[in-house]
Amino acid sequence: MTNKNKNINQKQANATEVQNNDIRFIMSTEQGRRFIYEMLSDTHQYQTSFTGNSHTFFREGERNIGVKLMKRIHENCLDEYVLMLKEARKRAEQI
């Protein structure tokens, strides 16, 4: 592996670690968990994206973003994810 490739790989690893730290920070607060829950809801993680027409393609694109976010959450802060779901249920019960 050349020095250039090593530098590129190191930069990618650093960027990934920054992103992982960011999601852990966001999920460490109630406000962050509430925001992420809304983002996951908006990206159809908790419902079907099928509409029966061409709008399904658009919603599947949104869903793909949510899947990537969900993967990062599951890899970095699974306990906070579970807490986020409990908090969302509690908010729903209060409505």
Side-chain angles (χ1 to χ4, degrees):
M1 182 178 288
T2 67
N3 280 342
K4 184 177 181 180
N5 287 343
K6 287 180 185 178
N7 287 340
I8 290 171
N9 287 344
Q10 185 60 45
K11 286 181 181 179
Q12 290 172 337
N14 290 344
T16 298
E17 186 58 28
V18 166
Q19 292 173 344
N20 290 341
N21 288 336
D22 290 345
I23 196 64
R24 284 190 289 265
F25 177 78
I26 291 167
M27 291 293 287
S28 72
T29 68
E30 185 177 355
Q31 295 88 347
R33 291 187 297 275
R34 186 172 51 241
F35 175 79
I36 293 296
Y37 184 83
E38 291 303 319
M39 292 298 298
L40 292 172
S41 294
D42 289 347
T43 59
H44 317 292
Q45 298 306 297
Y46 305 115
Q47 62 193 29
T48 183
S49 57
F50 181 74
T51 64
N53 59 40
S54 62
H55 193 65
T56 297
F57 303 125
F58 179 76
R59 290 178 65 150
E60 276 297 302
E62 292 176 324
R63 188 174 181 283
N64 187 48
I65 298 298
V67 167
K68 290 177 182 181
L69 178 58
M70 185 81 79
K71 179 180 184 286
R72 189 167 302 274
I73 291 168
H74 285 186
E75 290 174 347
N76 289 284
C77 44
L78 190 56
D79 291 340
E80 288 80 2
Y81 175 75
V82 172
L83 178 58
M84 177 187 74
L85 294 177
K86 290 177 181 178
E87 291 167 344
R89 183 178 349 149
K90 185 176 178 182
R91 283 192 306 276
E93 290 171 353
Q94 293 173 349
I95 295 177

Coordinates of all heavy atoms in Angstrom, one line a residue:
M1 N 0.9 -1.2 0.0 CA 0.0 0.0 0.0 C 0.9 1.2 0.0 O 1.8 1.3 0.8 CB -0.9 0.0 1.2 CG -1.9 1.1 1.3 SD -3.0 1.1 2.7 CE -4.1 -0.2 2.3
T2 N 0.6 2.2 -0.8 CA 1.4 3.4 -0.9 C 1.1 4.3 0.2 O 0.0 4.2 0.9 CB 1.1 4.1 -2.3 OG1 -0.2 4.6 -2.3 CG2 1.4 3.2 -3.5
N3 N 2.0 5.3 0.4 CA 1.7 6.3 1.5 C 0.5 7.1 1.2 O -0.3 7.4 2.1 CB 2.9 7.2 1.6 CG 4.0 6.6 2.4 OD1 3.8 5.7 3.1 ND2 5.2 7.2 2.2
K4 N 0.2 7.3 -0.1 CA -1.0 8.1 -0.5 C -2.2 7.3 -0.1 O -3.2 7.8 0.5 CB -1.0 8.4 -2.0 CG -2.2 9.2 -2.4 CD -2.1 9.5 -3.9 CE -3.3 10.4 -4.3 NZ -3.2 10.7 -5.7
N5 N -2.3 6.0 -0.4 CA -3.4 5.2 0.0 C -3.6 5.1 1.5 O -4.7 5.0 2.0 CB -3.3 3.8 -0.6 CG -3.5 3.7 -2.1 OD1 -4.1 4.7 -2.6 ND2 -3.1 2.7 -2.8
K6 N -2.4 5.0 2.2 CA -2.5 4.9 3.7 C -3.1 6.2 4.2 O -3.9 6.2 5.2 CB -1.1 4.7 4.3 CG -0.6 3.3 4.1 CD 0.8 3.2 4.7 CE 1.4 1.8 4.4 NZ 2.7 1.7 5.0
N7 N -2.7 7.3 3.7 CA -3.2 8.6 4.1 C -4.7 8.7 3.8 O -5.5 9.2 4.7 CB -2.5 9.8 3.4 CG -1.1 10.0 4.0 OD1 -0.8 9.6 5.1 ND2 -0.3 10.7 3.2
I8 N -5.1 8.2 2.7 CA -6.6 8.3 2.3 C -7.4 7.4 3.3 O -8.4 7.8 3.8 CB -6.8 7.8 0.9 CG1 -6.3 8.9 -0.1 CG2 -8.3 7.5 0.6 CD1 -6.2 8.5 -1.5
N9 N -6.8 6.2 3.6 CA -7.5 5.3 4.5 C -7.6 5.9 5.9 O -8.6 5.7 6.6 CB -6.8 3.9 4.5 CG -7.0 3.1 3.3 OD1 -7.9 3.4 2.5 ND2 -6.2 2.1 3.0
Q10 N -6.5 6.5 6.3 CA -6.5 7.1 7.7 C -7.5 8.3 7.7 O -8.2 8.4 8.7 CB -5.1 7.7 8.0 CG -5.0 8.2 9.4 CD -5.3 7.1 10.5 OE1 -4.9 6.0 10.4 NE2 -6.2 7.5 11.4
K11 N -7.6 9.1 6.7 CA -8.6 10.2 6.6 C -10.0 9.6 6.7 O -10.9 10.2 7.4 CB -8.4 11.0 5.4 CG -7.2 11.9 5.5 CD -7.0 12.8 4.3 CE -5.8 13.6 4.4 NZ -5.6 14.5 3.2
Q12 N -10.3 8.5 6.0 CA -11.6 7.9 6.0 C -11.9 7.4 7.4 O -13.0 7.5 7.8 CB -11.7 6.8 4.9 CG -11.7 7.3 3.5 CD -11.6 6.2 2.5 OE1 -11.1 5.1 2.7 NE2 -12.0 6.5 1.3
A13 N -10.9 6.7 8.0 CA -11.2 6.2 9.3 C -11.4 7.3 10.3 O -12.3 7.2 11.2 CB -9.9 5.4 9.8
N14 N -10.7 8.4 10.2 CA -10.9 9.6 11.1 C -12.3 10.2 10.9 O -13.0 10.5 11.8 CB -9.8 10.6 10.8 CG -8.5 10.2 11.3 OD1 -8.3 9.3 12.1 ND2 -7.4 10.9 10.8
A15 N -12.7 10.3 9.6 CA -14.0 10.8 9.3 C -15.1 9.9 9.9 O -16.1 10.4 10.5 CB -14.2 11.0 7.8
T16 N -15.0 8.6 9.8 CA -15.9 7.7 10.3 C -16.0 7.8 11.8 O -17.1 7.8 12.4 CB -15.6 6.3 9.9 OG1 -15.7 6.2 8.5 CG2 -16.6 5.3 10.5
E17 N -14.9 7.9 12.5 CA -14.8 8.1 13.9 C -15.5 9.4 14.4 O -16.2 9.4 15.4 CB -13.4 8.0 14.5 CG -13.3 7.9 16.0 CD -14.1 6.8 16.6 OE1 -14.3 5.7 16.0 OE2 -14.6 6.9 17.8
V18 N -15.3 10.4 13.7 CA -16.0 11.7 14.0 C -17.5 11.5 13.9 O -18.2 12.0 14.7 CB -15.5 12.8 13.0 CG1 -16.4 14.1 13.1 CG2 -14.0 13.2 13.4
Q19 N -17.9 10.9 12.8 CA -19.4 10.6 12.6 C -19.9 9.8 13.7 O -21.0 10.0 14.2 CB -19.7 10.0 11.3 CG -19.4 11.0 10.1 CD -19.5 10.3 8.8 OE1 -19.5 9.0 8.7 NE2 -19.6 11.0 7.7
N20 N -19.2 8.8 14.1 CA -19.6 7.9 15.2 C -19.7 8.7 16.5 O -20.7 8.5 17.3 CB -18.7 6.7 15.4 CG -18.8 5.7 14.2 OD1 -19.8 5.7 13.5 ND2 -17.8 4.9 14.0
N21 N -18.7 9.5 16.8 CA -18.8 10.3 18.0 C -20.0 11.3 17.9 O -20.6 11.5 19.0 CB -17.5 11.1 18.2 CG -16.3 10.2 18.6 OD1 -16.5 9.2 19.2 ND2 -15.1 10.7 18.3
D22 N -20.2 11.8 16.8 CA -21.4 12.8 16.6 C -22.7 12.1 17.0 O -23.5 12.6 17.7 CB -21.4 13.3 15.2 CG -20.3 14.3 14.9 OD1 -19.6 14.8 15.8 OD2 -20.1 14.6 13.7
I23 N -22.9 10.9 16.4 CA -24.2 10.2 16.7 C -24.3 9.8 18.2 O -25.4 9.9 18.8 CB -24.4 9.0 15.8 CG1 -25.9 8.6 15.8 CG2 -23.6 7.8 16.1 CD1 -26.9 9.6 15.3
R24 N -23.2 9.4 18.8 CA -23.2 9.1 20.2 C -23.6 10.4 21.0 O -24.3 10.3 22.0 CB -21.9 8.5 20.7 CG -21.7 7.1 20.3 CD -20.5 6.5 20.9 NE -19.2 7.0 20.4 CZ -18.5 6.4 19.4 NH1 -18.9 5.3 18.9 NH2 -17.3 6.9 19.1
F25 N -23.0 11.5 20.6 CA -23.3 12.8 21.3 C -24.8 13.1 21.2 O -25.5 13.5 22.1 CB -22.4 13.9 20.8 CG -22.7 15.2 21.4 CD1 -22.3 15.6 22.7 CD2 -23.5 16.2 20.7 CE1 -22.5 16.8 23.2 CE2 -23.8 17.4 21.3 CZ -23.3 17.7 22.5
I26 N -25.3 13.1 20.0 CA -26.7 13.4 19.7 C -27.6 12.5 20.5 O -28.6 13.0 21.1 CB -27.0 13.3 18.2 CG1 -26.3 14.4 17.4 CG2 -28.5 13.4 17.9 CD1 -26.2 14.2 15.9
M27 N -27.3 11.2 20.5 CA -28.2 10.3 21.2 C -28.0 10.3 22.7 O -28.8 9.7 23.4 CB -27.9 8.9 20.7 CG -28.3 8.6 19.2 SD -30.1 8.7 19.0 CE -30.6 7.1 19.7
S28 N -27.1 11.1 23.2 CA -26.9 11.2 24.6 C -27.8 12.1 25.3 O -27.9 12.2 26.5 CB -25.4 11.6 25.0 OG -25.2 12.9 24.6
T29 N -28.6 12.9 24.5 CA -29.5 13.9 25.1 C -31.0 13.5 24.7 O -31.2 12.9 23.6 CB -29.2 15.3 24.6 OG1 -29.5 15.4 23.2 CG2 -27.8 15.7 24.9
E30 N -31.9 13.9 25.6 CA -33.3 13.6 25.2 C -33.7 14.4 24.0 O -34.4 13.8 23.1 CB -34.2 14.0 26.4 CG -35.6 13.7 26.2 CD -36.5 14.0 27.4 OE1 -36.0 14.5 28.4 OE2 -37.7 13.9 27.2
Q31 N -33.2 15.6 23.8 CA -33.6 16.4 22.6 C -33.0 15.7 21.4 O -33.7 15.7 20.3 CB -33.0 17.8 22.8 CG -33.6 18.6 23.9 CD -32.9 18.4 25.2 OE1 -32.0 17.6 25.4 NE2 -33.2 19.3 26.1
G32 N -31.8 15.2 21.5 CA -31.2 14.5 20.3 C -31.9 13.3 20.0 O -32.2 13.0 18.8
R33 N -32.3 12.5 21.0 CA -33.1 11.3 20.7 C -34.4 11.6 20.1 O -34.9 10.9 19.2 CB -33.2 10.4 22.0 CG -31.9 9.8 22.5 CD -32.1 8.9 23.6 NE -32.7 9.5 24.8 CZ -31.9 10.2 25.7 NH1 -30.6 10.2 25.6 NH2 -32.5 10.7 26.8
R34 N -35.1 12.7 20.5 CA -36.4 13.1 20.0 C -36.2 13.4 18.5 O -37.0 13.1 17.7 CB -37.0 14.2 20.8 CG -38.4 14.6 20.4 CD -39.0 15.6 21.4 NE -38.1 16.7 21.6 CZ -37.7 17.1 22.8 NH1 -38.0 16.4 23.9 NH2 -36.9 18.2 22.9
F35 N -35.1 14.2 18.2 CA -34.9 14.6 16.9 C -34.6 13.4 16.0 O -35.2 13.3 14.9 CB -33.7 15.6 16.8 CG -33.3 16.0 15.4 CD1 -34.0 16.9 14.7 CD2 -32.2 15.4 14.8 CE1 -33.6 17.2 13.4 CE2 -31.8 15.7 13.5 CZ -32.5 16.6 12.8
I36 N -33.8 12.5 16.4 CA -33.5 11.3 15.6 C -34.7 10.4 15.4 O -34.9 9.9 14.3 CB -32.3 10.5 16.3 CG1 -31.0 11.3 16.3 CG2 -32.2 9.1 15.6 CD1 -30.5 11.6 14.9
Y37 N -35.5 10.3 16.4 CA -36.8 9.6 16.3 C -37.6 10.2 15.2 O -38.2 9.4 14.3 CB -37.6 9.5 17.6 CG -38.8 8.6 17.5 CD1 -38.7 7.3 17.6 CD2 -40.0 9.2 17.2 CE1 -39.8 6.4 17.5 CE2 -41.2 8.4 17.0 CZ -41.0 7.0 17.2 OH -42.1 6.2 17.0
E38 N -37.8 11.5 15.2 CA -38.5 12.1 14.1 C -37.9 11.9 12.7 O -38.6 11.7 11.8 CB -38.7 13.6 14.4 CG -39.5 13.9 15.6 CD -40.9 13.4 15.5 OE1 -41.5 13.4 14.4 OE2 -41.5 12.8 16.5
M39 N -36.6 12.0 12.7 CA -35.9 11.7 11.4 C -36.2 10.3 10.9 O -36.4 10.0 9.7 CB -34.4 11.9 11.5 CG -34.0 13.4 11.8 SD -34.4 14.5 10.4 CE -33.5 13.8 9.1
L40 N -36.1 9.3 11.8 CA -36.4 7.9 11.5 C -37.8 7.8 11.1 O -38.1 7.0 10.1 CB -36.0 7.0 12.6 CG -34.5 6.9 12.9 CD1 -34.2 6.1 14.2 CD2 -33.7 6.3 11.7
S41 N -38.7 8.5 11.7 CA -40.1 8.4 11.3 C -40.3 9.0 9.9 O -41.0 8.4 9.1 CB -41.0 9.1 12.3 OG -41.0 8.5 13.6
D42 N -39.7 10.1 9.7 CA -39.8 10.8 8.4 C -39.2 10.0 7.3 O -39.6 10.2 6.1 CB -39.1 12.2 8.4 CG -39.9 13.2 9.3 OD1 -41.0 12.9 9.7 OD2 -39.3 14.3 9.6
T43 N -38.3 9.1 7.6 CA -37.7 8.3 6.6 C -38.3 6.9 6.5 O -37.7 5.9 6.0 CB -36.2 8.1 6.8 OG1 -35.9 7.6 8.1 CG2 -35.5 9.5 6.6
H44 N -39.5 6.7 7.1 CA -40.4 5.5 7.0 C -39.8 4.3 7.6 O -40.0 3.2 7.1 CB -40.8 5.3 5.5 CG -41.1 6.6 4.8 ND1 -42.3 7.3 5.1 CD2 -40.4 7.3 3.9 CE1 -42.3 8.4 4.3 NE2 -41.2 8.4 3.6
Q45 N -39.0 4.4 8.7 CA -38.4 3.3 9.3 C -39.5 2.5 10.1 O -39.2 1.3 10.4 CB -37.3 3.7 10.3 CG -36.2 4.4 9.6 CD -35.6 3.6 8.4 OE1 -35.1 2.5 8.6 NE2 -35.7 4.1 7.2
Y46 N -40.5 3.1 10.5 CA -41.5 2.5 11.3 C -42.9 2.3 10.6 O -43.9 2.0 11.2 CB -41.8 3.3 12.6 CG -40.5 3.6 13.3 CD1 -40.0 4.9 13.4 CD2 -39.8 2.6 13.9 CE1 -38.8 5.1 14.1 CE2 -38.6 2.8 14.6 CZ -38.1 4.1 14.7 OH -36.9 4.3 15.3
Q47 N -42.8 2.3 9.3 CA -44.0 2.1 8.4 C -43.6 1.7 7.1 O -42.4 1.8 6.7 CB -44.8 3.4 8.4 CG -44.1 4.5 7.7 CD -44.8 5.9 7.9 OE1 -45.4 6.1 8.9 NE2 -44.6 6.8 7.0
T48 N -44.5 1.2 6.3 CA -44.1 0.8 4.9 C -43.9 2.1 4.0 O -44.5 3.1 4.3 CB -45.3 0.0 4.3 OG1 -44.9 -0.5 3.0 CG2 -46.6 0.7 4.2
S49 N -43.1 1.9 3.0 CA -42.9 3.0 2.1 C -43.7 2.8 0.8 O -43.7 3.6 -0.1 CB -41.4 3.2 1.8 OG -40.9 2.0 1.3
F50 N -44.3 1.7 0.7 CA -45.1 1.4 -0.5 C -46.4 2.2 -0.6 O -47.1 2.3 0.4 CB -45.5 -0.1 -0.5 CG -46.3 -0.5 -1.7 CD1 -45.7 -0.7 -2.9 CD2 -47.7 -0.7 -1.6 CE1 -46.4 -1.0 -4.0 CE2 -48.4 -1.1 -2.7 CZ -47.7 -1.2 -4.0
T51 N -46.6 2.8 -1.7 CA -47.8 3.7 -1.9 C -48.7 3.1 -3.0 O -49.8 3.6 -3.2 CB -47.3 5.1 -2.3 OG1 -46.7 5.1 -3.6 CG2 -46.5 5.7 -1.3
G52 N -48.1 2.2 -3.9 CA -48.9 1.7 -5.0 C -48.7 2.5 -6.2 O -49.4 2.2 -7.3
N53 N -47.9 3.5 -6.2 CA -47.6 4.3 -7.4 C -46.2 4.7 -7.3 O -45.4 4.2 -6.5 CB -48.6 5.6 -7.4 CG -48.4 6.5 -6.2 OD1 -47.4 6.7 -5.7 ND2 -49.6 7.0 -5.7
S54 N -45.8 5.6 -8.2 CA -44.4 6.0 -8.4 C -43.8 6.7 -7.2 O -42.6 6.9 -7.0 CB -44.2 6.8 -9.6 OG -44.9 8.0 -9.6
H55 N -44.7 7.2 -6.3 CA -44.2 7.9 -5.1 C -43.4 6.9 -4.2 O -42.6 7.3 -3.4 CB -45.4 8.5 -4.3 CG -45.0 9.5 -3.3 ND1 -44.3 10.7 -3.6 CD2 -45.1 9.4 -1.9 CE1 -44.0 11.3 -2.4 NE2 -44.5 10.6 -1.4
T56 N -43.6 5.6 -4.4 CA -42.9 4.6 -3.6 C -41.4 4.8 -3.8 O -40.6 4.6 -2.9 CB -43.3 3.2 -4.0 OG1 -44.7 3.0 -3.7 CG2 -42.5 2.1 -3.3
F57 N -41.0 5.1 -5.1 CA -39.5 5.2 -5.3 C -39.0 6.4 -4.5 O -37.9 6.3 -4.0 CB -39.3 5.5 -6.8 CG -39.9 4.4 -7.7 CD1 -40.7 4.7 -8.7 CD2 -39.5 3.0 -7.5 CE1 -41.3 3.7 -9.5 CE2 -40.0 2.0 -8.3 CZ -40.9 2.4 -9.3
F58 N -39.7 7.5 -4.4 CA -39.2 8.6 -3.6 C -39.1 8.2 -2.2 O -38.1 8.5 -1.5 CB -40.2 9.8 -3.8 CG -39.8 11.0 -3.0 CD1 -38.8 11.8 -3.4 CD2 -40.5 11.3 -1.9 CE1 -38.5 12.9 -2.7 CE2 -40.2 12.4 -1.1 CZ -39.2 13.2 -1.5
R59 N -40.1 7.5 -1.7 CA -40.1 7.1 -0.3 C -39.0 6.1 0.0 O -38.5 6.1 1.1 CB -41.5 6.6 0.1 CG -42.5 7.8 0.2 CD -43.9 7.3 0.5 NE -43.9 6.8 1.9 CZ -45.0 6.8 2.7 NH1 -46.1 7.3 2.3 NH2 -44.9 6.2 3.9
E60 N -38.7 5.3 -0.9 CA -37.6 4.3 -0.7 C -36.3 5.0 -0.7 O -35.4 4.6 0.1 CB -37.6 3.2 -1.9 CG -38.6 2.1 -1.6 CD -38.2 1.3 -0.4 OE1 -37.1 0.8 -0.3 OE2 -39.1 1.2 0.5
G61 N -36.1 6.1 -1.4 CA -34.9 6.9 -1.3 C -34.8 7.5 0.1 O -33.7 7.5 0.7
E62 N -35.9 8.0 0.6 CA -35.9 8.5 2.0 C -35.6 7.4 3.0 O -34.8 7.6 3.9 CB -37.3 9.1 2.3 CG -37.6 10.4 1.6 CD -39.0 10.9 1.9 OE1 -39.9 10.1 2.1 OE2 -39.2 12.1 2.0
R63 N -36.2 6.3 2.8 CA -36.0 5.2 3.7 C -34.5 4.7 3.7 O -34.0 4.4 4.7 CB -36.9 4.0 3.2 CG -36.8 2.8 4.2 CD -37.9 1.8 3.8 NE -37.8 0.7 4.7 CZ -36.9 -0.3 4.8 NH1 -35.9 -0.2 3.9 NH2 -36.9 -1.2 5.7
N64 N -33.8 4.8 2.5 CA -32.4 4.4 2.5 C -31.6 5.3 3.4 O -30.7 4.8 4.0 CB -31.9 4.5 1.0 CG -30.5 4.0 0.9 OD1 -30.2 2.9 1.3 ND2 -29.7 4.7 0.2
I65 N -31.9 6.5 3.4 CA -31.1 7.4 4.4 C -31.4 7.0 5.8 O -30.5 6.9 6.6 CB -31.6 8.9 4.2 CG1 -31.3 9.4 2.7 CG2 -31.0 9.8 5.2 CD1 -29.8 9.4 2.4
G66 N -32.6 6.7 6.1 CA -32.9 6.2 7.5 C -32.3 4.9 7.8 O -31.8 4.7 9.0
V67 N -32.1 4.0 6.9 CA -31.5 2.7 7.1 C -30.0 3.0 7.5 O -29.5 2.4 8.4 CB -31.6 1.8 5.9 CG1 -30.7 0.6 6.0 CG2 -33.0 1.3 5.7
K68 N -29.4 3.9 6.7 CA -28.0 4.2 7.1 C -27.8 4.8 8.4 O -26.9 4.5 9.2 CB -27.4 5.2 6.0 CG -27.2 4.5 4.7 CD -26.7 5.5 3.6 CE -26.6 4.8 2.3 NZ -26.2 5.8 1.2
L69 N -28.8 5.7 8.8 CA -28.7 6.3 10.1 C -29.0 5.2 11.2 O -28.3 5.2 12.2 CB -29.8 7.4 10.2 CG -30.0 8.1 11.5 CD1 -28.6 8.8 12.0 CD2 -31.0 9.2 11.4
M70 N -29.9 4.4 11.0 CA -30.2 3.3 11.9 C -29.0 2.4 12.1 O -28.7 2.0 13.2 CB -31.4 2.5 11.4 CG -31.9 1.4 12.3 SD -32.9 2.1 13.6 CE -34.4 2.2 12.7
K71 N -28.3 2.1 11.0 CA -27.1 1.2 11.1 C -26.1 1.9 12.0 O -25.5 1.3 12.9 CB -26.5 1.0 9.7 CG -25.3 0.2 9.7 CD -24.8 0.0 8.3 CE -23.6 -0.9 8.2 NZ -22.3 -0.3 8.7
R72 N -25.8 3.2 11.8 CA -24.9 3.9 12.7 C -25.3 3.9 14.1 O -24.5 3.8 15.0 CB -24.7 5.3 12.1 CG -23.5 6.1 12.8 CD -23.1 7.3 12.1 NE -22.8 7.1 10.7 CZ -21.5 6.8 10.3 NH1 -20.6 6.6 11.1 NH2 -21.3 6.7 9.0
I73 N -26.6 4.1 14.4 CA -27.1 4.1 15.7 C -26.9 2.7 16.4 O -26.4 2.6 17.5 CB -28.6 4.5 15.8 CG1 -28.7 6.0 15.4 CG2 -29.2 4.2 17.1 CD1 -30.1 6.4 15.1
H74 N -27.2 1.7 15.7 CA -27.1 0.3 16.2 C -25.7 0.0 16.5 O -25.4 -0.8 17.4 CB -27.7 -0.7 15.3 CG -29.2 -0.7 15.3 ND1 -30.0 -1.6 14.6 CD2 -30.1 0.2 15.9 CE1 -31.3 -1.3 14.8 NE2 -31.4 -0.3 15.6
E75 N -24.8 0.5 15.7 CA -23.3 0.2 15.9 C -22.7 1.0 17.0 O -21.7 0.6 17.5 CB -22.6 0.5 14.6 CG -22.9 -0.5 13.5 CD -22.2 -0.1 12.2 OE1 -21.7 1.0 12.0 OE2 -22.2 -1.0 11.2
N76 N -23.3 2.1 17.4 CA -22.6 3.0 18.3 C -23.4 3.3 19.6 O -22.8 3.7 20.6 CB -22.4 4.3 17.6 CG -21.3 4.2 16.6 OD1 -20.1 4.1 16.9 ND2 -21.7 4.1 15.3
C77 N -24.7 3.2 19.6 CA -25.4 3.6 20.8 C -26.8 2.8 20.9 O -27.8 3.5 21.0 CB -25.6 5.1 20.9 SG -26.1 5.9 19.3
L78 N -26.7 1.5 20.9 CA -27.9 0.7 21.0 C -28.7 1.0 22.2 O -30.0 1.0 22.2 CB -27.5 -0.8 20.9 CG -28.7 -1.7 20.6 CD1 -29.5 -1.3 19.4 CD2 -28.2 -3.1 20.5
D79 N -28.1 1.2 23.4 CA -28.9 1.4 24.6 C -29.7 2.7 24.5 O -30.8 2.8 24.9 CB -27.9 1.5 25.8 CG -27.3 0.1 26.2 OD1 -27.9 -0.9 25.7 OD2 -26.3 0.1 26.8
E80 N -29.1 3.7 23.9 CA -29.7 5.0 23.7 C -30.9 4.9 22.7 O -31.9 5.5 22.8 CB -28.8 6.1 23.3 CG -27.8 6.5 24.4 CD -26.6 5.6 24.6 OE1 -26.5 4.6 23.8 OE2 -25.8 5.9 25.5
Y81 N -30.7 4.0 21.7 CA -31.8 3.7 20.8 C -33.0 3.1 21.5 O -34.2 3.6 21.3 CB -31.3 2.8 19.7 CG -32.4 2.3 18.8 CD1 -32.9 3.2 17.8 CD2 -33.0 1.1 18.8 CE1 -33.9 2.8 16.9 CE2 -34.0 0.7 18.0 CZ -34.5 1.6 17.0 OH -35.5 1.2 16.2
V82 N -32.8 2.2 22.4 CA -33.9 1.6 23.2 C -34.5 2.7 24.0 O -35.8 2.7 24.1 CB -33.4 0.4 24.0 CG1 -34.5 -0.1 24.9 CG2 -32.9 -0.7 23.1
L83 N -33.7 3.5 24.7 CA -34.3 4.6 25.5 C -35.1 5.5 24.6 O -36.2 6.0 25.0 CB -33.1 5.3 26.2 CG -33.5 6.5 27.0 CD1 -34.5 6.2 28.1 CD2 -32.2 7.2 27.6
M84 N -34.6 5.8 23.4 CA -35.4 6.7 22.5 C -36.8 6.1 22.2 O -37.7 6.9 22.2 CB -34.6 6.8 21.2 CG -35.3 7.7 20.1 SD -34.4 7.6 18.6 CE -34.8 6.0 18.0
L85 N -36.8 4.8 22.0 CA -38.1 4.2 21.7 C -39.1 4.3 22.9 O -40.3 4.6 22.7 CB -37.9 2.7 21.3 CG -37.2 2.5 20.0 CD1 -37.0 1.0 19.7 CD2 -37.9 3.2 18.8
K86 N -38.5 4.1 24.1 CA -39.3 4.2 25.3 C -39.8 5.6 25.5 O -41.0 5.9 25.8 CB -38.5 3.8 26.5 CG -38.2 2.3 26.6 CD -37.4 1.9 27.8 CE -37.1 0.5 27.8 NZ -36.2 0.1 28.9
E87 N -39.0 6.6 25.2 CA -39.4 8.0 25.4 C -40.5 8.4 24.3 O -41.4 9.1 24.6 CB -38.2 8.9 25.2 CG -37.2 8.8 26.3 CD -35.8 9.5 26.0 OE1 -35.5 9.8 24.8 OE2 -35.1 9.7 27.0
A88 N -40.3 7.8 23.1 CA -41.3 8.1 22.1 C -42.7 7.5 22.5 O -43.7 8.1 22.2 CB -40.8 7.5 20.7
R89 N -42.6 6.3 23.0 CA -43.9 5.7 23.5 C -44.6 6.5 24.5 O -45.8 6.7 24.5 CB -43.7 4.2 24.0 CG -45.0 3.6 24.3 CD -44.9 2.2 24.8 NE -43.6 1.5 24.6 CZ -43.1 0.6 25.4 NH1 -43.8 0.2 26.5 NH2 -41.9 0.1 25.2
K90 N -43.7 7.0 25.5 CA -44.3 7.8 26.6 C -44.9 9.1 26.0 O -46.0 9.5 26.4 CB -43.2 8.2 27.6 CG -43.6 8.9 28.8 CD -42.5 9.1 29.7 CE -42.9 9.9 31.0 NZ -41.8 10.1 31.9
R91 N -44.2 9.7 25.0 CA -44.8 10.9 24.4 C -46.1 10.6 23.7 O -47.1 11.4 23.8 CB -43.8 11.6 23.4 CG -42.7 12.3 24.0 CD -41.9 13.1 23.0 NE -41.4 12.4 21.9 CZ -40.3 11.7 21.9 NH1 -39.5 11.7 22.9 NH2 -39.9 11.0 20.8
A92 N -46.2 9.5 23.1 CA -47.4 9.1 22.4 C -48.6 8.9 23.3 O -49.7 9.2 23.0 CB -47.1 7.9 21.5
E93 N -48.3 8.3 24.5 CA -49.3 8.0 25.5 C -49.8 9.3 26.1 O -51.0 9.3 26.6 CB -48.7 7.1 26.6 CG -48.5 5.7 26.1 CD -47.7 4.9 27.1 OE1 -47.3 5.4 28.2 OE2 -47.6 3.7 26.9
Q94 N -49.0 10.4 26.1 CA -49.5 11.7 26.7 C -50.4 12.5 25.7 O -51.0 13.4 26.1 CB -48.2 12.5 27.0 CG -47.4 11.9 28.2 CD -46.2 12.6 28.4 OE1 -45.7 13.5 27.7 NE2 -45.5 12.3 29.5
I95 N -50.4 12.1 24.5 CA -51.2 12.8 23.5 C -52.7 12.4 23.6 O -53.1 11.4 23.9 CB -50.7 12.6 22.1 CG1 -49.3 13.2 21.9 CG2 -51.6 13.2 21.0 CD1 -48.6 12.9 20.6

